[in-house]
Amino acid sequence: MGESRRKRNLADPRQSAFRHSSCLCSESRWLHSLASRLFVCVLVVRRDHRKLNVFRVADELALDVYRLAGALPRAEHFGLRIQIRRAAVSVPANIVEGSARRTEGEYLRFLDIAQASAREIVYLLSLARRLELLPSPVAVAIEERYGVVQGMLHRIIETLSTRTPKGL
């Protein structure tokens, strides 16, 4: 009896109309998905890292720190020198990578990583200064500039966090 009921339902014109409308719904969902992806692509193009002041400052700092790390003793070549250079490059690199991401949530995640790298570089420069591997006035000046970068990143993150729903 269950089989005959199923056959009757399949033959019911209302069932076939329902199946047809579900195809339209899935087609509509597909078009909506495509349109939203295209819209996101447009947003990605509009998020140009070169227009961000924080990127320009972080990029300039990366160059300065890279040169400054070259002044560290040869014994620190595979230690503090390389770690300072990597952290310095990480700040602008994460801003660039975040700018290329599709969602604001991903963008925020990379800005957060850039901010953490800026904090790391401040510590590493402080350590090198206290170990007397770098001249104190130069290291302090760069640490202060990284403090400015951290503040800029914090303001961007806070601004975007208030308008981005959780989970994106």
Side-chain angles (χ1 to χ4, degrees):
M1 183 147 161
E3 286 180 76
S4 64
R5 189 177 283 176
R6 187 181 304 151
K7 287 180 186 175
R8 255 187 304 180
N9 286 341
L10 291 177
D12 186 358
R14 290 176 296 177
Q15 282 289 352
S16 86
F18 177 73
R19 274 188 276 139
H20 181 66
S21 69
S22 70
C23 289
L24 289 177
C25 289
S26 75
E27 187 176 313
S28 175
R29 280 189 297 243
W30 179 81
L31 286 173
H32 176 70
S33 173
L34 179 63
S36 63
R37 276 187 253 142
L38 291 173
F39 180 70
V40 167
C41 290
V42 170
L43 288 177
V44 169
V45 172
R46 289 188 352 189
R47 202 184 295 143
D48 187 358
H49 65 275
R50 294 168 295 192
K51 293 180 180 177
L52 293 172
N53 286 333
V54 69
F55 169 75
R56 288 193 286 263
V57 173
D59 183 55
E60 189 62 40
L61 269 168
L63 293 172
D64 292 346
V65 169
Y66 211 89
R67 291 182 195 114
L68 181 65
L72 287 169
R74 197 154 193 38
E76 286 299 324
H77 181 74
F78 294 107
L80 206 50
R81 177 193 290 185
I82 203 130
Q83 202 165 354
I84 286 173
R85 283 181 168 173
R86 283 184 180 170
V89 171
S90 177
V91 177
N94 276 296
I95 294 169
V96 170
E97 189 170 352
S99 296
R101 295 300 173 147
R102 283 200 261 166
T103 66
E104 291 237 339
E106 289 178 304
Y107 181 45
L108 284 168
R109 187 169 61 88
F110 279 92
L111 292 180
D112 192 49
I113 294 168
Q115 187 179 29
S117 293
R119 291 189 80 149
E120 178 185 8
I121 190 80
V122 168
Y123 168 74
L124 293 171
L125 290 171
S126 168
L127 180 63
R129 178 177 42 84
R130 290 179 286 134
L131 290 170
E132 298 178 355
L133 298 172
L134 289 175
S136 189
V138 174
V140 168
I142 290 179
E143 287 173 38
E144 289 172 359
R145 289 170 61 197
Y146 270 106
V148 170
V149 168
Q150 287 178 47
M152 294 168 85
L153 285 167
H154 178 74
R155 283 188 293 281
I156 293 171
I157 291 168
E158 286 301 308
T159 301
L160 292 175
S161 292
T162 58
R163 69 177 207 188
T164 303
K166 298 293 182 206
L168 286 182

